[in-house]
Amino acid sequence: MSRLAPGTVSAAAALLVRRQAAPRRFLRLRDAALYVGVSESKFLQLVASTRLPQPFRVDGCVLWDLWELDPALDDLKDQARGGGSSVAMNKDKGWEGFDDAP
């Protein structure tokens, strides 16, 4: 593993900062998955199962629209909760019902 001199930023970190600083409505796969908070493969599974919206193409670029992702994410959340929260924070028990494993 290479070490960076103090005060330097890796190319990957600089790219991440630029991506976060640039507000966009349309996202490519990597950024859409990052926005949703899942891996690219899980994101594509959700798209294939129609739980997330289909992308569209602009001159060969495959893009997702944030305005379509947000309501789909709200629906996913509601389905996961089944009308109520399946994850309850309790000061005595912590995150009850929470399992981040696939």
Side-chain angles (χ1 to χ4, degrees), residues 4-20:
L4 298 173
T8 61
V9 178
S10 71
L15 177 61
L16 181 60
V17 168
R18 281 197 307 273
R19 282 188 175 168
Q20 289 176 344

Side-chain angles (χ1 to χ4, degrees), residues 19 24-33 40 43-44 47-48 52-66 68-69:
R19 282 188 175 168
R24 293 161 293 158
R25 178 170 166 193
F26 304 124
L27 302 174
R28 290 184 182 219
L29 174 59
R30 175 188 281 171
D31 294 326
E40 291 178 27
F43 183 87
L44 290 173
V47 171
L52 288 179
Q54 297 295 311
F56 62 97
R57 288 186 184 269
V58 175
D59 296 335
C61 294
V62 178
L63 302 168
W64 279 266
D65 187 340
L66 280 177
E68 294 177 356
L69 282 174

Side-chain angles (χ1 to χ4, degrees), residues 51 73-88 97:
R51 295 167 73 193
L73 292 173
D74 288 337
D75 289 346
L76 275 177
K77 179 180 68 176
D78 292 342
Q79 290 169 11
R81 289 183 174 170
S85 178
S86 61
V87 179

